[in-house]
Amino acid sequence: HLLLFLLFVGPFNCFASYSRATELFYSLNEGLPAGVLIGSLARDLRLPTAGGQYPAALQPPLSFTLASHGLGGQYVQLDNHSGELHTSAVEIDREALCVESSGDTNFGGSAAVSSSSSSSESCLLLLDVLVLPQEYFRLVKVKIAIRDVNDNAPHFPVPHIYLSVPENAPVNTRLAIEHPALDPDMGTNGVQTYRLRDNYGVFTLDVEENESGERTPYLIVMGALDRETQEEYVTVIVAEDGGTPPLVGSATLTIGISDINDNCPQFNDLQVNVTVYGNSSLGTHVATVHAVDMDLGSNAHVTYSYSQKVPQPSRDLFHLNESTGAITLSTKVNGDTPRLHRLIILGNGPGCIPAVITVLVTIIKVIMRPPEVVPRFIANEVEGVVYLKEMEPINTPIAFFTIKDPDEKYKVSCYLDGDGPFRLSPYKPYNNEYLLEIAKPLDYETQQLYEISVVAWNSEGFRVNKVIKVQVLDDNDNSPVFSEQLIELSIEENNVPNAFLTKLHATDADSGERGQVSYFLGPDAPSYFALDKTTGVLTVSTQLDREEKEKYRYTVKAVDSGFPPRESVATVTITVLDKNDNSPRFINKDFSFFVPENFPGFGEIGVISVTDADAGQNGWVALSVLNGSDIFVIDTGKGVLRAKVSLDREQQSSYILWIEAVDGGDPALSSTAKITVLLLDINDNPPLVLFPQSNMSYLLVLPSTLPGSPITEVYAVDKDTGMNAVIAYSIIGRRGPRPESFRIDPKTGNITLEESLMQNDYGLYRLLVKVSDHGYPEPLHSTVMVNLFVNDTVSNESYIESLLRKEPDISIEEKQPQISIEPTHKKMKSASCMPTLVALSIINLGSIALVTGMGIYICLRKGKKHHRADENLEVQIPLNGRINLHMLEKKPMEISNI
């Protein structure tokens, strides 16, 4: 016993005990590879070896040999010289080894396997080893215990396990599963637990272990069962061993719910009405009643019987089959037989209250045979159904019917009963022959199946009908129909590519492939529109620009798959909605307007044209003046530019404005334009006389002055431009001893002496000079009085001043100044720059004359002893026919010799 104990608890590779019985015990795990040391026989038998009590030279030549190469010998290799025992290339499988040699023990010089009957965990490999030479001869019994490892998964003996549970099994009912899982491994490596993958909420498993250590699974019912609700549960039972890691095996577990008698028979109807002809033969089937019991097997067995309320004559007339519920005519109907029978039939089930049904039988007494209807089909007929194409024309024959009386005694008539586009008419010239034909067009889409009856009746009132079913076959007689013939769509411009527009929908009343619709674009559709053939989704592949094209109109087709195909056409209109993607656009970036000065306030200066390619509110344009808004305004609706006040060219000759145009989009877009307003001069300023400065000034002219000598000048300027500023000088009034002695240059205003002065010419000369411009349409002018005193000296200024204060009596000469301006007008016609050159020349000449006159005036002032500060008044006298000399300011002027 000590040896056996050490055998199973010793080290892995070897443990050996030597006894006088020359037996050695070893143990090892199954499944080890080749070359693993099991033990050394020489060492364990304490035989002399090198390094022991004998020197190497005196070492006896030991030899170890297996006595027999039996079953156990194939699992080990024995070194004949060292006595070491190793595992061989044949892997040891404990389960296969011990099963093959179960209970087989051999100690008679052979290699064998022994499975101990006393312990299921003992599996021994038995070897007989001979030790030679003779002086060391021994027969050694070697026993190798094979230890189990978890190398086998549990497995069920059958893949499908069936277990029956009665539907009335109470909760906690335990049912043993007869095919538990098997595991060749031993101990904890064997099967330990069971479980269900799906317990349906009504089952669980428990495991019981018997005295021998076998574990049996039990199915436990955890909830109520009802076979009529669910008669079977299919799940998977899983067995798991105790190895590390654990191994599992599974099988399908079918739990059948066995029936108990918890349901009773039931009839579907409470009463059945039947009719039996009086001339019916014996055994004629009258009716069949059928009761249903939801149970199974014998629990669902139903028998039928008459109620005690059924009178005996009725029982005798009609036979009831107890098993099938069939009622047949059992006796002949005669004149005394009642015409109405109420048969109360019971459906009987085991342990149940019978179900009740009433069969009301009406007997029609006849003494002749009914007419006969014999069909002869022309159209395609299969199993009583006639098949017609819906395109069959009217008057297409379907069938012939022969109507006859079996007794050949009575006249038989025939008619068609039932709705449908058919007619039944006699087929002349034959008697009792009728032709069934199509009377109206067939339409599969309206009705596919007709059930009509050909009824034959004789003069005695007997009727017989032949039911005919007509199945209409579909033809491709319908074109696809669009839900809308005009499909109106809209999309905003600048859409994303491949934008969805709509999904077209067309229906085809035909069936099958004939009703399958495909969609296509018409030939007038632009290439950048796409239509999915199957789905009908219409898209546009590119961006649309409303300003380029606002509306699209093209056709689409819906084509079915019939042969030949049919199609329909619809029209698609697409309106491209506007987006504010265009700024207002001026016709010109620079506008120039020429306006005469003194133009009335809020008069129309010019129209500013601006457009916006967008539509609606996006195309509404509002104009505003960015600068100069205090002077100019703009009419937003008409684009008219106006000035709030009258404009004066002499104050400012031109204006530069910036006009902004803003559209009504959100966000708004804008643009600007430059406006130049040029003021055209009008003759609104008379010439301004700068010299002489006063009508009261005078000049001393010496009598010795030579003819042609300049005496003085009249100098004037005009604020206008062009011809409006060209000044002409003329003398329009004279007074003096010989006033014609002086003349004035009409261009320069220089006054010169024409003739020599005589003694009689001494005195005061007063010349009224008119300074006139050349304005159009009416020139403006001013006047000035030039006073000349002809004398050698001025001895009495008071006298002269008194003469100047007197109002002169001067006659007005209405002569126009003779200034040659025709060449200038001619040049203006030929060259547009000539007026400017003429004006500049006149201004230059005027400037020179002004400088000269001012120099003369300064010299005169230096020669005068008495200076008067108030003699610098300007005189501008407009000419109005006669001159009011009282209006002339008469102030003396210093006189100096020229």
Side-chain angles (χ1 to χ4, degrees):
H1 294 291
L2 179 60
L3 290 175
L4 289 176
F5 173 76
L6 294 174
L7 173 66
F8 293 103
V9 302
F12 164 74
N13 58 350
C14 69
F15 176 85
S17 296
Y18 174 66
S19 70
R20 294 181 183 273
T22 64
E23 290 185 356
L24 294 178
F25 293 91
Y26 299 98
S27 66
L28 76 161
N29 290 344
E30 63 175 325
L32 294 177
V36 176
L37 178 64
I38 300 173
S40 175
L41 300 184
R43 183 185 66 231
D44 297 335
L45 293 174
R46 297 187 180 93
L47 296 177
T49 58
Q53 60 181 340
Y54 297 97
L58 301 177
Q59 172 70 33
L62 296 179
S63 174
F64 301 87
T65 307
L66 288 174
S68 175
H69 296 281
L71 179 61
Q74 63 179 325
Y75 298 106
V76 298
Q77 285 184 344
L78 177 62
D79 190 309
N80 298 107
H81 300 290
S82 65
E84 289 184 348
L85 199 61
H86 295 82
T87 57
S88 69
V90 180
E91 183 180 295
I92 299 175
D93 184 356
R94 179 186 178 281
E95 291 75 28
L97 188 64
C98 291
V99 168
E100 292 177 359
S101 308
S102 177
D104 192 8
T105 306
N106 190 343
F107 292 93
S110 64
V113 177
S114 173
S115 178
S116 173
S117 61
S118 61
S119 176
S120 61
E121 294 187 2
S122 298
C123 180
L124 300 177
L125 186 63
L126 305 178
L127 302 173
D128 290 344
V129 179
L130 297 177
V131 182
L132 297 174
Q134 186 65 34
E135 58 269 27
Y136 296 102
F137 173 78
R138 294 186 185 183
L139 175 61
V140 181
K141 297 289 186 176
V142 178
K143 295 182 180 180
I144 304 173
I146 309 302
R147 290 198 297 264
D148 183 46
V149 297
N150 191 28
D151 59 345
N152 292 279
H155 70 280
F156 288 89
V158 292
H160 298 278
I161 302 173
Y162 182 82
L163 185 64
S164 179
V165 181
E167 64 177 324
N168 63 342
V171 176
N172 293 327
T173 299
R174 299 170 65 87
L175 299 163
I177 297 176
E178 297 180 354
H179 300 283
L182 304 176
D183 193 330
D185 296 326
M186 304 302 294
T188 58
N189 292 333
V191 177
Q192 299 296 315
T193 59
Y194 292 87
R195 67 176 184 274
L196 294 176
R197 286 188 183 173
D198 187 359
N199 57 21
Y200 294 96
V202 293
F203 300 106
T204 188
L205 287 180
D206 191 16
V207 179
E208 292 185 2
E209 185 175 357
N210 58 19
E211 296 178 355
S212 62
E214 295 179 352
R215 296 175 180 268
T216 302
Y218 282 81
L219 181 71
I220 301 176
V221 179
M222 301 297 293
L225 303 176
D226 185 7
R227 188 204 63 82
E228 288 72 34
T229 302
Q230 185 167 349
E231 63 181 2
E232 187 178 74
Y233 297 87
V234 179
T235 184
V236 175
I237 182 172
V238 179
E240 183 177 310
D241 64 21
T244 304
L247 303 178
V248 297
S250 63
T252 301
L253 175 62
T254 301
I255 305 170
I257 309 302
S258 60
D259 185 55
I260 63 170
N261 191 27
D262 58 347
N263 290 280
C264 290
Q266 289 184 350
F267 288 105
N268 292 330
D269 300 312
L270 296 178
Q271 179 174 313
V272 177
N273 299 323
V274 294
T275 301
V276 176
Y277 289 102
N279 62 347
S280 299
S281 58
L282 296 179
T284 299
H285 179 266
V286 177
T288 299
V289 294
H290 180 67
V292 177
D293 192 320
M294 299 299 294
D295 295 325
L296 292 177
S298 60
N299 294 329
H301 182 66
V302 180
T303 60
Y304 303 93
S305 63
Y306 283 124
S307 171
Q308 293 181 357
K309 296 181 180 180
V310 179
Q312 190 62 42
S314 297
R315 294 170 181 258
D316 296 338
L317 183 61
F318 300 104
H319 174 263
L320 174 62
N321 189 303
E322 294 183 355
S323 300
T324 63
I327 303 172
T328 56
L329 190 65
S330 59
T331 59
K332 207 58 169 154
V333 177
N334 55 38
D336 298 330
T337 303
R339 299 187 60 184
L340 185 63
H341 297 265
R342 185 181 300 274
L343 305 179
I344 302 175
I345 300 174
L346 306 179
N348 306 295
C352 291
I353 298 175
V356 180
I357 188 172
T358 300
V359 179
L360 194 64
V361 181
T362 302
I363 297 178
I364 300 176
K365 294 183 178 181
V366 294
I367 57 175
M368 77 288 290
R369 290 182 292 173
E372 296 181 358
V373 178
V374 182
R376 289 174 290 169
F377 290 100
I378 298 174
N380 182 27
E381 183 267 337
V382 178
E383 297 180 356
V385 179
V386 177
Y387 294 91
L388 297 175
K389 293 184 178 181
E390 64 173 329
M391 298 294 289
E392 294 286 356
I394 298 176
N395 301 326
T396 297
I398 301 174
F400 275 109
F401 291 93
T402 300
I403 311 301
K404 61 183 180 179
D405 178 21
D407 299 326
E408 298 182 353
K409 296 180 181 179
Y410 305 99
K411 180 181 179 181
V412 180
S413 300
C414 184
Y415 68 91
L416 189 65
D417 185 22
D419 296 330
F422 309 103
R423 65 168 171 260
L424 183 68
S425 56
Y427 189 70
K428 297 179 180 180
Y430 304 103
N431 294 324
N432 296 330
E433 297 286 346
Y434 290 86
L435 177 63
L436 178 65
E437 56 187 355
I438 299 174
K440 296 179 181 179
L442 301 176
D443 188 359
Y444 173 86
E445 290 70 36
T446 302
Q447 187 170 347
Q448 296 88 36
L449 182 65
Y450 296 90
E451 189 169 309
I452 56 177
S453 298
V454 177
V455 181
W457 60 285
N458 60 18
S459 57
E460 296 298 321
F462 285 96
R463 283 177 170 79
V464 175
N465 65 326
K466 174 65 177 178
V467 178
I468 301 174
K469 294 182 180 180
V470 177
Q471 176 67 54
V472 180
L473 302 178
D474 189 29
D475 279 319
N476 192 30
D477 60 336
N478 290 279
S479 299
V481 177
F482 281 99
S483 56
E484 297 176 296
Q485 286 298 313
L486 179 61
I487 304 165
E488 296 179 326
L489 307 174
S490 63
I491 184 175
E492 280 194 344
E493 62 177 330
N494 304 329
N495 55 281
V496 297
N498 300 316
F500 173 84
L501 293 175
T502 189
K503 183 176 182 180
L504 302 180
H505 180 66
T507 57
D508 194 314
D510 294 323
S511 62
E513 292 184 353
R514 293 173 290 272
Q516 294 179 0
V517 179
S518 300
Y519 302 90
F520 302 94
L521 290 172
D524 53 345
S527 60
Y528 38 83
F529 289 95
L531 180 59
D532 189 278
K533 175 182 178 182
T534 305
T535 63
V537 173
L538 181 64
T539 57
V540 56
S541 62
T542 186
Q543 284 190 344
L544 300 180
D545 187 357
R546 188 203 67 82
E547 289 72 37
E548 180 179 338
K549 188 171 184 180
E550 184 176 6
K551 288 188 177 294
Y552 295 86
R553 184 183 181 93
Y554 54 86
T555 57
V556 291
K557 294 191 299 183
V559 183
D560 63 23
S561 301
F563 183 80
R566 300 174 70 96
E567 66 180 43
S568 62
V569 178
T571 301
V572 175
T573 62
I574 300 174
T575 301
V576 183
L577 303 179
D578 185 55
K579 292 182 70 175
N580 193 27
D581 59 344
N582 290 277
S583 302
R585 182 177 179 182
F586 290 94
I587 294 179
N588 298 310
K589 295 304 288 185
D590 294 325
F591 290 86
S592 295
F593 297 111
F594 295 88
V595 181
E597 63 175 332
N598 300 330
F599 194 70
F602 293 98
E604 181 177 322
I605 295 175
V607 178
I608 301 169
S609 299
V610 61
T611 61
D612 194 314
D614 294 322
Q617 186 172 347
N618 295 331
W620 296 349
V621 180
L623 298 173
S624 62
V625 181
L626 296 180
N627 62 326
S629 59
D630 55 338
I631 300 177
F632 295 92
V633 294
I634 191 166
D635 186 341
T636 298
K638 299 180 180 179
V640 176
L641 181 65
R642 306 177 188 273
K644 298 179 183 179
V645 297
S646 179
L647 303 178
D648 188 357
R649 188 202 65 79
E650 286 71 36
Q651 293 182 2
Q652 187 171 338
S653 61
S654 65
Y655 296 87
I656 295 179
L657 306 176
W658 289 97
I659 304 297
E660 182 182 37
V662 181
D663 62 22
D666 184 17
L669 300 177
S670 64
S671 61
T672 57
K674 180 182 177 183
I675 310 296
T676 302
V677 178
L678 299 173
L679 297 181
L680 300 177
D681 184 54
I682 63 173
N683 194 26
D684 59 343
N685 290 281
L688 177 62
V689 179
L690 299 179
F691 186 84
Q693 296 181 348
S694 174
N695 289 332
M696 297 299 293
S697 62
Y698 60 92
L699 184 65
L700 177 64
V701 179
L702 298 178
S704 60
T705 304
L706 296 177
S709 298
I711 304 302
T712 186
E713 70 169 344
V714 177
Y715 178 69
V717 294
D718 196 314
K719 295 181 179 179
D720 296 323
T721 61
M723 296 304 297
N724 295 331
V726 176
I727 297 175
Y729 302 88
S730 62
I731 298 174
I732 61 172
R734 303 170 184 264
R735 183 186 177 100
R738 193 155 55 98
E740 65 275 3
S741 300
F742 300 94
R743 66 175 295 275
I744 190 169
D745 189 307
K747 293 183 179 180
T748 64
N750 291 331
I751 297 176
T752 58
L753 181 64
E754 289 291 311
E755 300 175 358
S756 298
L757 296 174
M758 303 298 179
Q759 185 68 33
N760 296 332
D761 295 335
Y762 284 45
L764 181 63
Y765 290 81
R766 307 195 74 175
L767 304 177
L768 183 60
V769 179
K770 178 182 179 181
V771 183
S772 176
D773 61 23
H774 287 75
Y776 178 84
E778 181 179 356
L780 301 179
H781 67 271
S782 300
T783 58
V784 66
M785 188 69 72
V786 179
N787 300 305
L788 301 176
F789 184 63
V790 179
N791 201 2
D792 292 325
T793 60
V794 178
S795 58
N796 191 352
E797 292 186 5
S798 300
Y799 172 72
I800 298 174
E801 290 178 359
S802 64
L803 294 177
L804 292 176
R805 290 190 186 98
K806 293 180 181 181
E807 181 177 347
D809 185 12
I810 301 176
S811 60
I812 304 301
E813 302 175 6
E814 290 296 340
K815 286 185 178 181
Q816 293 296 332
Q818 300 298 319
I819 301 177
S820 179
I821 59 174
E822 288 79 2
T824 304
H825 288 292
K826 293 180 181 180
K827 291 181 180 179
M828 289 177 64
K829 294 179 182 179
S830 61
S832 60
C833 63
M834 287 308 295
T836 304
L837 296 176
V838 171
L840 291 175
S841 300
I842 294 173
I843 291 173
N844 290 334
L845 291 174
S847 299
I848 295 172
L850 177 62
V851 172
T852 304
M854 292 301 293
I856 296 172
Y857 175 70
I858 291 171
C859 293
L860 291 174
R861 291 186 62 185
K862 287 181 180 180
K864 182 68 177 174
K865 294 181 180 179
H866 303 284
H867 177 69
R868 296 181 182 180
D870 55 352
E871 294 180 354
N872 56 350
L873 299 176
E874 295 179 357
V875 179
Q876 298 180 19
I877 303 175
L879 183 62
N880 295 320
R882 293 185 59 84
I883 298 177
N884 188 358
L885 296 180
H886 293 286
M887 298 297 295
L888 297 177
E889 184 181 1
K890 300 179 180 179
K891 290 185 181 288
M893 182 178 179
E894 294 184 0
I895 300 175
S896 62
N897 293 329
I898 301 176

